[in-house]
Amino acid sequence: MEITRFVFSLLFLVMMTVGSSGSPNHWGRKRVREPCKKLVFYFHDILYNGRNSKNATSAIVGAPAWGNRTILAGQNHFGDLVVFDDPITLDNNLHSAPVGRAQGFYIYDKKEIFTAWFAFSFVFNSTQHKGSINFAGADPLMNKTRDISVIGGTGDFFMTRGVATLSTDAFEGEVYFRLRADINLFECW
Amino acid sequence: MEITRFVFSLLFLVMMTVGSSGSPNHWGRKRVREPCKKLVFYFHDILYNGRNSKNATSAIVGAPAWGNRTILAGQNHFGDLVVFDDPITLDNNLHSAPVGRAQGFYIYDKKEIFTAWFAFSFVFNSTQHKGSINFAGADPLMNKTRDISVIGGTGDFFMTRGVATLSTDAFEGEVYFRLRADINLFECW
Amino acid sequence: MEITRFVFSLLFLVMMTVGSSGSPNHWGRKRVREPCKKLVFYFHDILYNGRNSKNATSAIVGAPAWGNRTILAGQNHFGDLVVFDDPITLDNNLHSAPVGRAQGFYIYDKKEIFTAWFAFSFVFNSTQHKGSINFAGADPLMNKTRDISVIGGTGDFFMTRGVATLSTDAFEGEVYFRLRADINLFECW
């Protein structure tokens, strides 16, 4: 009888293990939203305006018929397409040693207010991080914070997914802005 | 003996549970293709043509050397890049109350026939839906239906993935088209 | 006693099965990095330069203020945006029968060296493959190999994710290049 009770205890243990295995679920049950990795970075965008060729990290390369490529277009810059190669820093100082580059593009995509759509990568090649994180999503930049998707990664960030919360940490006219990215990864391999 | 038989039954049950746990599988076994969420929306694109500034929801912002930004280019519009901020409606009526905005861009990318490549977000901020769904993929628009990828989401659509089936619900010349999007999400958190 | 020992053996078996189920893990444990599908393709890009209209498979459609749409811009082509519809072949011969099309765009996005950002689809419609694979990521093209993300797929590649390793197999001046794509899929449905 003692042994039988012990067997039942074991069985119970096994069943609990199976039941609570917390295995991810692709069919609609809620999964625990606990990041497997959290990262915070800043990146710095200096837009080419015809006079800052040396310092600029980005440039308008597409514009609507009513715009040009040295001045952001009217109607809240609707249609302006900007390519960037921005330094990534650990703090909010433009002159801190960059730990990587934010590379990709954004488009202003609404006539009535400022809003943008981003697709880019964080590219790292330092002792701390090697690899890339890929992002895409809408950036309604007048909101204090806004979420975009982490759609993949390579190297240290192999196959990762998650959400990055962007906030505008600073901006100076139409030439400089600094974004803070709070990256929360929910799939880590 | 009765107890032993009962123990075996339990064991059998446990093993069945383990065997059929249907847990997702990243190494090649087939997973059940049952959506965890299904959504249907329409979105409406009115292309700027130099005369419809007020109503236009999209504009050509990039074009090949043989094109311009008010008329879609020859060779099946190859190379035309269009930025859009289109209203999303629940039915196929352009004048229905929008439930969100489709924001992003498409490019025509074949000389021989009409075909496009889309990257955009559905952005919702209503009582019904808050958050965004991000899409990317090829849209061979002469096909009755074509599938693009849901590559991520935020808010109510946190970390989602899936497939959206696009179909052209209507078009008027080169100024207006309406797409129906049947969104099937297969990963819901 | 014999039976009890047998029960314990069974229990042990069950627990091993549960313990080693290798079920994917979205909260930080390492998963086995074994592809569920491996594919190798070549794709061929012939850039429009004003004189090769017939053969060109791609065209500059966006450029910085200092560039134009028939000659790649100075400063390592920074800001040039190229739309492509390239044939995909199984071997490295441009004239082999294409098995699909690589459709999308790339942007050159650094002033100091050549580097690019890609977003595109492999579109298949043959007896061998039907469906599409969607890619996005940074392509530091001076590196021998570089990894981009497989962010989704449709048809035969429904919901897939993975990594594609690009390498430049050949290039001729600024008109032709051929990329080899070693695609490793780690999520197959």
Side-chain angles (χ1 to χ4, degrees), chain A residues 3 6 8 18 20 24-25 44 46 48 56-57 98-99 109 113 134 142-143 146-147 153 158-159 161 171 184 189:
Chain A
I3 276 168
F6 180 61
F8 274 115
V18 174
S20 71
N25 166 2
H44 307 261
I46 303 171
Y48 177 71
T57 65
V99 297
D109 60 2
I113 57 160
N134 299 319
M142 301 307 281
N143 297 1
R146 47 274 183 193
D147 288 346
F158 177 77
M159 288 285 289
R161 296 186 71 232
F171 67 94
N184 288 297
W189 283 54

Side-chain angles (χ1 to χ4, degrees), chain A residues 4 8 11 14-15 24 26-31 62-64 79 81 109-111 117 136 138 147 149 161-162 186, chain B residues 3 6 14 22 24 31-32 34 36 53 56 61 69 81 85 103 121 134 152-153 158-161 186-189:
Chain A
T4 310
F8 274 115
L11 261 174
V14 169
M15 293 182 77
H26 295 268
W27 305 283
R29 272 179 285 144
K30 287 277 173 193
R31 290 190 272 195
L81 166 62
D109 60 2
K110 196 169 181 64
K111 291 190 287 186
W117 198 89
D147 288 346
S149 292
R161 296 186 71 232
F186 294 86
Chain B
I3 277 167
F6 180 58
V14 170
R31 291 191 271 195
V32 179
E34 212 183 296
C36 46
S53 177
V61 309
R69 291 173 297 177
L81 166 62
D85 168 40
Q103 300 181 324
S121 302
N134 300 319
F158 177 76
M159 288 285 289
T160 200
R161 296 185 71 229
F186 294 87
E187 296 197 20
C188 302
W189 282 55

Side-chain angles (χ1 to χ4, degrees), chain A residues 15-155:
Chain A
M15 293 182 77
M16 288 308 288
T17 310
V18 174
S20 71
S21 73
S23 89
N25 166 2
H26 295 268
W27 305 283
R29 272 179 285 144
K30 287 277 173 193
R31 290 190 272 195
V32 180
R33 298 188 181 192
E34 211 183 297
C36 46
K37 195 174 272 184
K38 291 170 76 79
L39 299 159
V40 179
F41 295 107
Y42 295 82
F43 62 107
H44 307 261
D45 194 81
I46 303 171
L47 183 61
Y48 177 71
N49 65 0
R51 298 181 307 277
N52 58 354
S53 176
K54 204 162 164 250
N55 295 327
T57 65
S58 66
I60 305 171
V61 309
W66 62 88
N68 66 51
R69 291 172 296 176
T70 44
I71 302 169
L72 287 162
Q75 303 208 56
N76 292 292
H77 315 336
F78 180 79
D80 280 328
L81 166 62
V82 175
V83 172
F84 61 90
D85 168 39
D86 293 348
I88 301 171
T89 57
L90 294 176
D91 62 19
N92 66 0
N93 188 337
L94 169 61
H95 302 295
S96 295
V99 297
R101 307 296 294 191
Q103 299 179 327
F105 70 97
Y106 54 89
I107 46 179
Y108 287 97
D109 60 2
K110 196 169 181 64
K111 291 190 287 186
E112 294 78 13
I113 57 160
F114 290 124
T115 192
W117 198 89
F118 273 74
F120 62 103
S121 303
F122 274 10
V123 180
F124 300 102
N125 189 12
S126 69
T127 46
Q128 208 172 355
H129 300 297
K130 281 197 197 321
S132 64
I133 307 176
N134 299 319
F135 305 85
D139 175 22
L141 52 91
M142 301 307 281
N143 297 1
K144 194 164 162 40
T145 63
R146 47 274 183 193
D147 288 346
I148 62 171
S149 292
V150 173
I151 58 173
T154 65

Side-chain angles (χ1 to χ4, degrees), chain B residues 161-183:
Chain B
R161 296 185 71 229
V163 167
T165 302
L166 302 180
S167 51
T168 305
D169 193 60
F171 67 94
E172 287 167 22
E174 300 201 325
V175 167
Y176 174 73
F177 68 77
R178 178 171 67 234
L179 294 185
R180 177 186 160 120
D182 286 77
I183 303 171

